Structures are given as structure tokens and as C-alpha cells.
Amino acid sequence: MQHSSPRASLLDDFIELLSSMRFAISLLTVLAIASVIGTVILQNQPVNAYLNQFGQFWDPVFSRLGLYSVYNSGWFVAILAFLVLSTTLCVIRQFTPMLHEIRGFRERAREVSLRNFAHRASLEPALPPEKRSDAVTAYLANAGFRFRVNEREGSTLIAAKRGSLGRIGYFLAHGAIVLICLGGLLDSNVPLSLQIRFLGKTATSGNQTIASIPASARLAPSTWSFRGNVYIPQGAIAGNAVINANDGVLLQPLPFTVELKNFHIEHYETGMPKRYASDVVITDNKSKEVFERTLEVNKPFEHRGVTLYQAGFDDGGSVLSLTVHSMAANAHPPSSFSAEVGARIPLGPTGHALEITEFRSVNVEDLSPPDNKAKRTEAAFSGSGTRAASGENLRNLGPSYTYILRDPAGQAREFSNYMQPIQINGLWYFISGMRTSRTEDVSWLRIPLDEDKSAAAWFAIHQSFFDPALQAELIERYVSHGSGKDEKNSLKIVAGHVLSLFTKGGFDAISDFTVTNVPEDKRDEADIVFLQAIQGLVWEAWMIAREAAGKSALELNDIHAPFVRDTIHALTVSLHYGAPFYLQLTSFEQRHATILQATRSPGKPLVYLGSLLLVLGVFAMLYIRERRLFVLLKKDEALVAMSSGRKTIDLDEAFARHRDGLAAALGASTLP
Amino acid sequence: MELASSSPPPCPTPSAAPANWLARRNVGDWLFAIAVVFGLGIAYSRYGQLMDGYEIAILFLHAPLLIILGWAWQPFRLFAAAVAILALTSVWLYQGELARAEQTFFLKYLISSQTAITWMSVFFFTATGAYWLGLASRFDFAGRSGSAMTWLAAVMGTTGLFVRWYESYLVPDIGHIPVSNLYEVFVFFSLVTALLYLFYEGRYNTRKLGAFVLPVISAAVIFLLWYSFTRDAYQIQPLVPALQSYWMKIHVPANFIGYGGFAIAATVGIAYLLVSRGMLTDRLPEPRVLEDVMYRAIAIGFAFFTIATILGALWAAEAWGSYWQWDPKETWALIVWINYAAWLHMRLTRSLRGAILAWWAFVGLFVVTFAFVGVNMFLSGLHSYGSL
């Protein structure tokens, strides 16, 4: 090449660098490393999560580098752009020489260069000279070669080739990369960034109704590519997709509205969702055309360039009927109310508030006993794959719901209650789980039920224990079983003492007391006395409750021991339960909401076309073996030479085969 | 014309016109073709009502694939026949009752899915030992036993998967192809790697590489056994809605042909490094041959991995609403793809040769392993079907 000026030469050098393979490979390497960062650091999390994870110093640095949203960061997109540029330049530069290579036969190859081929052989043809050319071309045609015959002075060169399409594979594969990257760029969040930067759009808080979202957080209806969620409760209509951006949300108006008529969900025996589907009515904004469709996972629907996918589901505001069982010192009788999932309910003057966060209609648990090793080995290594070593005892525990109780200071506790009584080891309980934070273990309150599967007895016992007005009556009843004044007196002292300790701090308070006030050698004895007192008090409280409920008194025996034991345990747990009531779910009306995903991705056809070309290109490049075969016919000699763009062992075999084939065709023997 | 004669898999076909190739088919070839078409026809008539249009298309596309494979690679026919006979016998013995897995002798000790897979494991271990013995002793019989054991392992494993497929349909609601969780794909990976290896073993006429390839398969099997014992992973599980799609039948197998190719390339890379340092030169093929095997393994792996990634993108577009969303599994697939794309560029333009490429192929296996298992262990994302 000739350069007219140093500047032009510099430009040429630059283009040379950009289009070089080394540069492209370096870009690919950087791309791979950058991608790794994106998989190691969780992407697009809330700002605070990162601050907690990386600390004051690194957080702003990482944030600046765009590591929290690697794949959308400027530098990442820039690498992709360079890759496109580099590949494009490479394809352009290669175009003419490759075309030449594909079309040309090199029938002007010189004898000297043929004699330098690694694969060459000299044959001594027995066939008369005038028949040689035809014999060779007949052989080549039969072997699938195309050829040109070049008669020249004193010799004839037959230049043949096959598999030139492999070279086209190069254009297909590399052009495909360009197409895929361009398509991907078209579908990236560039339009979103542009609207934020130039049209002054800003994300707003997600905790508000669609109607109250300001215009500044509403994107143009014509946004060429986007991806957002559409949340629709049963019976409701939605016309916007919600896009999460910059720790807030943006609204993307859709060209149609979607009404959720019905939501279906089916479960497997294990409680895992098997199928969920939304019956929707889609109404076009302009033409008012109406489509009734059922959207399902793997079965999307497209209209006006926007595709709707079934992405998930949520509660759409199920209505729960709840009964309040007070566990306060001055308990009031049970009362009922109903509330929607998602509602926030202020609780009277104390400033507490209750939020119902979740409702689940199905809870399948594996209640199998711990498995045994021999059975497990057998199941793992023989028989059918359906045999379970555990998990045979799946049981649906029925509906449950979760609520958060927040005190005025904002401290929250989360409670999950099952609606139906649950049987454990033959006994029935109402079960409620409580935890003070997501990271903590759940502590379980198991309220024992009596023979009618009613929890009323336990609540009455609880009241007898904790209501000062009722404590006196309880102690009175307990003492009445004593014989003689002295015993009654001492029983009274012990019972009063134990009750006041127990109701303050459970067994911990009692053992603290014994440790400080009872000599070491008497402690075991004292513990027994105290435990018996508690058991006796529980029994009496139970009998009082039964009388009040009009139930018969029970005979004191071992059959009732588990109830007494569980009652004491539940009373202890209730001290740390953190809510002055137990909310029992009595009935519910479930309402689903569907979560759809709405996307517009105009780059998709480009990407798909690119993908097709990529596959064709890769297979062509790797599996179409280009071969060039030259036969130079001279007076006493036939020189056979072969080359390939790619050096693989099968070239040796192919050469040997064609050499022998040509030798046979020419009736020749191989010269050394 | 040229396209047709060079279709994958790379076979030692004479470079003649396809017409020629077709004319040279013998009676055995045609019998095999008829058996394949007949078998697929039966499968369709018996189970067609469970398939959608795409699945029927996939079923019948297997006809040309299997026929070409059987024509280009003769031992494959015997393998296919053995698998067909064993799997059908198992189905016949089941008579639609799962409980018979414990009652019938042949099911219990031979060809129920778990038992067959256990046999596969045993044969892979013994094959590894035999190949090692063959390498150490230069005793030809040991090498031949290694091949035989590997074939047996492949037959038992493939039978096991087919039977597992059938068993899954005996449980209400659950039936699906057994490539849906980590346990199943580990079995599949072992089989694909073994079959690819056996192909190269025949193609290059050397049994010595088994001593390098089989340990990787054995490692996969050890993981499989550990996983099924400690996590009850062998249990056939129902599919989440996103996986209920015909895409699974093509995306997952294509992926594991890719992984299998890369695994073979890595182990052959080790052999190459040994030979190029003058070790075992009298027992292993010359470096030129090893280099060629490495290239071919990566080529086929890369071609299928490309297809698998694209199929994954198409499926993701349908199930998750976006063909690419930088999910950790997707991203790592891209990293694997870039790695081998770079390798092929270096190899094909002859910028790099020899030891560096061998090292690169070897290290590539770690990248692949991370993409295959590591992502599930350490990173969370949408592909959490096979979490550890």
C-alpha cells in the first residue's frame, strides 16, 4: 500500500489495529472478565444493600465504576461497540481477498511453488499424453472437485478445488456477531437512559398508586424498547408496565389495556406450582380491538410489538377473617374483623400497626421421620427413580398467612399462623411462628387443643395465670385441695410465689430464684416442688375453664399429662411472643394477582437472524474442508500437489487417497 | 453438494459426492435405517398423544440424525440395538407398575433406572482401571477391556435414562425427559463424553487416551453417587412451569455435547503436555495426532455449545420474556463460548500451537466446570434447577 501522508498512514495503522484479530481477541477477553464481575456482584440491588456489603470506602468507588449494573454501564457498552467495529472492519478488509480465494482456482500456479507443497507426489503416467487430461478431469469430477484446465507451454495445469463454501462461513459467522451485538444494543436500556438524561424523566417511589405517579416518571408510549412488569389483581385492569430503575420505578404506558378475568393455579403433590395461567382480555387503545387470551408460562402473546409473558403471581388482596384472642393481662373476649392482604391496620391508641403481608392457601410439608441409612442407600442405587427414602409423608397443612406487627418505634416482628389445627405426635395444636428479623430462626408457639380441638381452654388458662383478678381465684382453688390449715398456708405461699415468678419470667425466673435463695443441696427438691405447683395450677385453671365452658371435670391422671406439659410450654413461649393477642384465621376469600412481563424488543429479529447465520457459519468454518488439488501434466511426469486452508490429519489421508486415485486413473506408478 | 458431504459429526468419509456415498450403503446400513424409522414410528404411535407439534418434529428429526450417525460410525448400531432391547425389556417388565421395580428380578438387579445407572458407574470405574492398566503394561487386552467396559457403561447409562423417562410417566403428573436436574444431566454428561471418546478411539485407532478421558467421567460419576446419596438427588421431581417445554429436549442435550467435547479436549491436552515433555512417548500417540483430537473435540464442542446457547436464548425469550438478561448461567455460558472461540481463532490462524493450546484446553475445563456446577453452587439466578 502507498501512503500519501504520515497522517493517512497513522489512520491506516489505527484501522489495521482495530481490525486485527489480536485486538478482537483482547476485547473478548476483557468482555469475559467484565462479565465475571457482573456475576459475582449481585446486580441492580437497592443502594443500601451495597453500602452494607462494601462499606463507606469501596461503595462509592464501585458505584462510580458501574459495577452494580455492569452490563448497562457505559464502558461495557463501549467494549461491545468496539467489538462490533473491530469485527466489521475485519470483515470488510477480508472481503476482497476472500472473494478472490473463493472464486479463484489458482490455475496460474507455478511449478516451483507446487514443488514446495508439503503434500505432493510425482507420478509417471503410462497413459498416452492426449488422454491424460481427460482422465484427470474425470477423476476430479467424480471426486466432487470443480476445476480449471490451463494449457501452457510444455505442460497442462489442472487446478481443482472443493469446499470453498467454508470461506463463506467466515462471513456468516463474523457478520452474525455484528448483527447480534447490534440487535442486543437496540434492546438494551439505552432508550431508558436517554429519556432519563434528556427528557428529564426521574424514577419515583414504588409505594404509591399508579394514578398518583407524576408525569416525570412516565415514559413516552413510543419508547422503542423496554421491559417491565404488569401487576393485575383479579378483576382489575392495567395499562402500564412498571420498570425498576435507580431504586425507584418508572411507568411505561402500553398500547393496550389488560384485564385479568381469572387466574388459575394448580399444584403438584409436593406443593410446588404445576401450572399457572391468566385469562386476560386485552383491549387495543386505538382500534378498541379485543383479544381474549390465556397467558401461560412458555406461551406468550404479542400485540403491537409488545409481548406479554406470564412471569409470576402474587396475592391480589385476599380477604381474611380473623379472630383476636387476647393474651393481655386484662383480656377481653374474642372479637373478629376482616382485612385484606396488603392492608396496614393501626391498632388503637398504643401506636402499634399490623400489616398482613402474605396469604398461602397450600403448605405442603414433609413430616417424615428421619430416614434410615440402609433404606436410603438402597433407594439411591437400585430400583426406580421414583422411590423416596424420605418425603413419603407429604402433608398439606392447609392455609397460612403472615403479618408484621410494628411497634411505635418501628420495631417489627413477623408472625405466621396456620389456619387449621395441626397434629403432631397424635396431639393437636394451633401453630404460630414468630421471628424478629428475616435472618433469625422462627420460634414456634404451639397452643394445645382439648378434646374438641378448641383452643379456648388454653386461652382461659392463660388468662387465669396472667390476669391479677383471676390469679387469686386460681390460688384459692389450688389451695382448697390441701388438708389442714398449715398445709393450705404453705401451699398458698408457694403457689403465689411461683405464679408471680412464672408469669414474669417463666422457668428462667424460677431457677434464678432458687439459685439465689435456696442452698445448693436443696435446689433439686425445690425445683420439684415448684414444678408440681405450676402443674397443679395449670390443672386447676383448666378445670375452672371447663366449668365455665360447661364441660365436665376431668379425672387427674396420666392421659392428660401431655396437655398440661404443652400448656406450660406454650405459656412460657407466650412470654416472649411479642404480641398481646393471637390472631386466628377463621375463613378467607382468596384473590389472586397475576404478574405479567411486558417487553418491546425490536432487536429480536436481528438477533435471531444473527444466531441462524452464526450456526451456519460455525459449521461451515469447522466442517467444510477446503481442498485444493493441482495436477501438473508434463511430458514424462504428472505432479500432484494438495493444500488446504487448515492443517489437520485428514489432509494427509485425503492426499494419499487422491494421489493413489489419480495414479490409478493415469495408470501411473509413484515416483520417489 | 459440498455442504452435504461434510455434515457433522466429522467422520472419516471419503470425500466423494453424496450420491456416491449413498450408493455405497450396504444391507446392514439399510436395515439400520429401517429399524430407526420403525422404532420412531412405534414411539410415535404409542406416545404421540403426549407430544405437541414441536415434540413430534423433534422425534422425527432424530431419524436422519441417528441414521447418519449409524452409517458413519458402525459400532453405534450395536450400541443403539443393545439400548433399545434393554430399555424395551425393562418397559415390558414394568407392565405399568412401579412396584415391580422391587419385585421383578431383572428390574431389581439389572435394568430399573437406578440399578442400570449404578451398573453404569461400576463399568466406568472398571473401564478407568483397565485403561490405566493398559497404559502401564502395554498389554493390549487391558485396553480392549477398557473399551468394552466403556461401551457397557454407555449402554447401561443410556438404558437407565430411557427407563427413567418411562418411570416418570408412571407417577401421575410428573412425566418428563430426564434432563431436568443436576443428577440427570450428570448421567447424560458421562454418557455423551464416553460416546464421543469412543468415537475418537475408533477414528484414531488408539486406546491409550482412555486412561486420560475416563478419569474425568469417573469424577463426574463419583460426584453423581455422592450427590444422590447425600441429597436424595436421584428422585424424579416434577417440573416447574418454566421447564415444561419442548425446548428442554434440544437445549440441554446440545449443551452437554458441548461440555463433553470440551472435557475430552482438556484430557487430551494433558496427554499432549506429557508427550511434548518426553513422557510416555512410547505409549501415547504422537503430538500431531493428539493436537488433532484436541482440535476436533473443541470444534464439535464449540459447534454444539453455540447451538445450545442460541436455543437457550430462544427458550428464555419464550419463558422469561427476554432472550438475554445476563443471568449468571447465561453470562458464564458466554464466557465459555468466548474462551473456546478465542482458542479456535488462535488454532486456525496458527498464531499459537502446541503446548500453549494444550494448557489452554486444560484450563478451559475449569471454566466449563464452573459454568456447569459452580454457578449453581455459588451464584443465584434463574437457572436454579440443579442447586446443590
Side-chain angles (χ1 to χ4, degrees), chain A residues 498-565:
Chain A
V498 164
L499 199 56
S500 85
L501 282 172
F502 183 79
T503 52
K504 278 196 194 78
F507 282 112
D508 288 347
I510 294 176
S511 64
D512 284 352
F513 173 82
T514 44
V515 167
T516 41
N517 297 300
V518 181
E520 205 170 338
D521 56 326
K522 295 268 169 69
R523 273 181 209 161
D524 285 349
E525 206 179 309
D527 281 341
I528 292 168
V529 169
F530 289 148
L531 181 63
Q532 280 172 345
I534 294 284
Q535 286 169 336
L537 287 166
V538 164
W539 181 261
E540 288 310 323
W542 189 13
M543 293 310 115
I544 295 171
R546 288 184 72 89
E547 269 169 40
K551 291 184 180 178
S552 60
L554 298 170
E555 202 179 316
L556 180 59
N557 59 29
D558 284 352
I559 299 170
H560 306 297
F563 183 87
V564 173
R565 177 199 66 209

Side-chain angles (χ1 to χ4, degrees), chain A residues 21-232:
Chain A
M21 201 186 68
R22 268 174 307 152
F23 184 71
I25 297 289
S26 315
L27 279 179
L28 282 177
T29 313
V30 177
L31 196 70
I33 293 168
S35 304
V36 173
I37 299 174
T39 64
V40 174
I41 299 177
L42 277 179
Q43 300 287 291
N44 302 314
Q45 299 292 300
V47 176
N48 284 334
Y50 290 122
L51 191 62
N52 285 338
Q53 195 180 349
F54 300 114
Q56 292 281 351
F57 182 75
W58 288 111
D59 177 63
V61 178
F62 287 177
S63 176
R64 253 290 170 65
L65 288 173
L67 299 190
Y68 301 150
S69 185
V70 170
Y71 310 112
N72 289 315
S73 68
W75 57 268
F76 193 83
V77 175
I79 296 174
L80 279 179
F82 264 107
L83 193 66
V84 170
L85 186 67
S86 160
T87 315
T88 313
L89 285 174
C90 183
V91 169
I92 292 172
R93 270 165 49 102
Q94 293 288 334
F95 191 75
T96 327
M98 281 259 187
L99 204 65
H100 199 70
E101 191 72 6
I102 290 169
R103 292 165 68 181
F105 282 81
R106 297 200 204 143
E107 68 272 22
R108 287 182 215 296
R110 291 185 311 151
E111 186 176 342
V112 189
S113 67
L114 292 181
R115 290 204 187 273
N116 275 328
F117 274 34
H119 293 89
R120 61 165 198 282
S122 263
L123 307 176
E124 198 171 23
L127 216 61
E130 67 279 8
K131 289 189 180 166
R132 287 177 194 165
S133 185
D134 289 345
V136 169
T137 51
Y139 173 84
L140 291 173
N142 189 38
F145 281 90
R146 292 185 298 140
F147 53 85
R148 284 247 173 100
V149 182
N150 180 17
E151 304 273 359
R152 46 197 188 189
E153 213 183 302
S155 66
T156 307
L157 178 66
I158 303 166
K161 62 171 187 174
R162 52 173 292 165
S164 300
L165 272 179
R167 301 262 174 184
I168 291 178
Y170 165 84
F171 291 111
L172 292 180
H174 291 82
I177 298 295
V178 175
L179 283 182
I180 291 172
C181 288
L182 287 179
L185 212 60
L186 218 55
D187 288 348
S188 70
N189 70 354
V190 168
L192 189 73
S193 314
L194 290 179
Q195 291 191 50
I196 290 176
R197 180 154 298 182
F198 298 109
L199 297 178
K201 301 290 182 191
T202 48
T204 178
S205 154
N207 291 328
Q208 48 187 326
T209 55
I210 297 279
S212 64
I213 286 180
S216 65
R218 289 171 187 261
L219 299 171
S222 58
T223 308
W224 85 71
S225 83
F226 62 82
R227 205 165 148 230
N229 285 325
V230 188
Y231 168 92
I232 322 168

Side-chain angles (χ1 to χ4, degrees), chain A residues 21-22 25 28-29 31-33 35-36 38-40 42-43 71 76 80 141-146 161-165 174 177 180 183-185 187 227 267-270 272-276 296-300 309-311 371 373 375-391 597 599 601 603-604 607-608 610-612 614-615 618-625 627 644-650 652-654 657-658, chain B residues 1-3 5-17 20 94 98 101-102 107-108 112-115 118 164 167-168 171 173-174 183 203-204 225 228-232 234-245 247 288-289 292 295-296 299-304 306-307 310 313-328 331-332 334-335 337-338 341-342 344-351 353 360 379-380:
Chain A
M21 201 186 68
R22 268 174 307 152
I25 297 289
L28 282 177
T29 313
L31 196 70
I33 293 168
S35 304
V36 173
T39 64
V40 174
L42 277 179
Q43 300 287 291
Y71 310 112
F76 193 83
L80 279 179
N142 189 38
F145 281 90
R146 292 185 298 140
K161 62 171 187 174
R162 52 173 292 165
S164 300
L165 272 179
H174 291 82
I177 298 295
I180 291 172
L185 212 60
D187 288 348
R227 205 165 148 230
H267 292 93
Y268 289 111
E269 206 186 5
T270 57
M272 197 171 92
K274 178 183 168 193
R275 171 181 178 263
Y276 45 96
E296 232 178 288
V297 181
N298 278 317
K299 287 175 190 162
Y309 301 88
Q310 180 70 60
D371 50 6
K373 207 166 179 177
K375 193 178 164 203
R376 200 171 168 145
T377 313
E378 198 192 329
F381 302 125
S382 75
S384 77
T386 58
R387 221 164 27 144
S390 58
Q597 191 171 119
T599 64
S601 47
K604 203 154 102 172
V607 172
Y608 285 11
S611 302
L612 179 68
L614 181 63
V615 172
V618 165
F619 271 92
M621 282 179 80
L622 295 176
Y623 290 114
I624 297 185
R625 277 159 285 190
R627 303 262 191 267
S644 167
R646 215 144 280 165
K647 288 262 183 303
T648 48
I649 285 181
D650 54 8
D652 304 356
E653 290 163 12
R657 201 170 52 244
H658 289 307
Chain B
M1 191 162 135
E2 283 141 326
L3 261 174
S5 67
S6 53
S7 54
C11 43
T13 46
S15 25
N20 221 336
Y94 262 116
L98 276 174
E102 270 99 274
L107 287 182
K108 188 167 182 184
S112 61
S113 69
Q114 292 303 118
T115 317
T118 304
R164 189 176 167 91
E167 285 167 1
S168 75
V171 187
D173 270 3
I174 286 189
Y183 173 85
R203 173 73 178 77
Y204 289 92
L225 296 181
S228 60
F229 183 70
T230 59
R231 311 288 170 95
D232 293 348
Y234 62 87
Q235 283 176 42
I236 297 175
Q237 297 290 348
L239 289 184
V240 296
L243 287 185
Q244 296 164 9
S245 166
W247 288 109
R288 205 170 67 97
V289 174
D292 206 60
Y295 163 69
R296 287 192 180 283
I300 195 160
F302 182 75
F304 276 90
T306 306
I307 293 182
I310 289 169
L314 298 180
W315 187 6
E318 207 168 292
W320 298 329
S322 172
Y323 52 80
W324 195 265
Q325 47 188 327
W326 299 103
D327 170 70
T331 310
W332 275 93
L334 178 70
I335 292 167
W337 190 85
I338 288 177
L344 284 169
H345 274 89
M346 291 303 173
R347 165 68 167 65
L348 295 181
T349 57
R350 287 169 232 171
S351 315
R353 266 289 153 110
W360 192 344
L379 308 172
S380 60

Side-chain angles (χ1 to χ4, degrees), chain B residues 134-271:
Chain B
L135 188 69
S137 67
R138 286 191 255 180
F139 194 33
D140 188 41
F141 178 72
R144 273 188 290 145
S145 315
S147 292
M149 298 289 180
T150 312
W151 275 112
L152 277 176
V155 166
M156 289 316 280
T158 315
T159 304
L161 282 188
F162 274 116
V163 173
R164 189 176 167 91
W165 198 350
Y166 171 77
E167 285 167 1
S168 75
Y169 275 90
L170 297 181
V171 187
D173 270 3
I174 286 189
H176 59 78
I177 187 171
V179 288
S180 70
N181 60 28
L182 210 53
Y183 173 85
E184 289 163 353
V185 296
F186 256 91
V187 177
F188 192 78
F189 168 78
S190 310
L191 294 176
V192 168
T193 312
L195 286 175
L196 266 177
Y197 163 71
L198 287 168
F199 175 78
Y200 290 125
E201 183 180 278
R203 173 73 178 77
Y204 289 92
N205 199 18
T206 167
R207 296 183 202 283
K208 304 295 187 193
L209 289 177
F212 292 86
V213 178
L214 264 287
V216 171
I217 300 179
S218 290
V221 169
I222 288 170
F223 174 84
L224 182 78
L225 296 181
W226 168 81
Y227 189 50
S228 60
F229 183 70
T230 59
R231 311 288 170 95
D232 293 348
Y234 62 87
Q235 283 176 42
I236 297 175
Q237 297 290 348
L239 289 184
V240 296
L243 287 185
Q244 296 164 9
S245 166
Y246 63 92
W247 288 109
M248 190 166 79
K249 293 186 172 173
I250 43 182
H251 167 64
V252 182
N255 231 315
F256 283 91
I257 296 176
Y259 287 160
F262 298 148
I264 289 178
T267 52
V268 175
I270 299 173

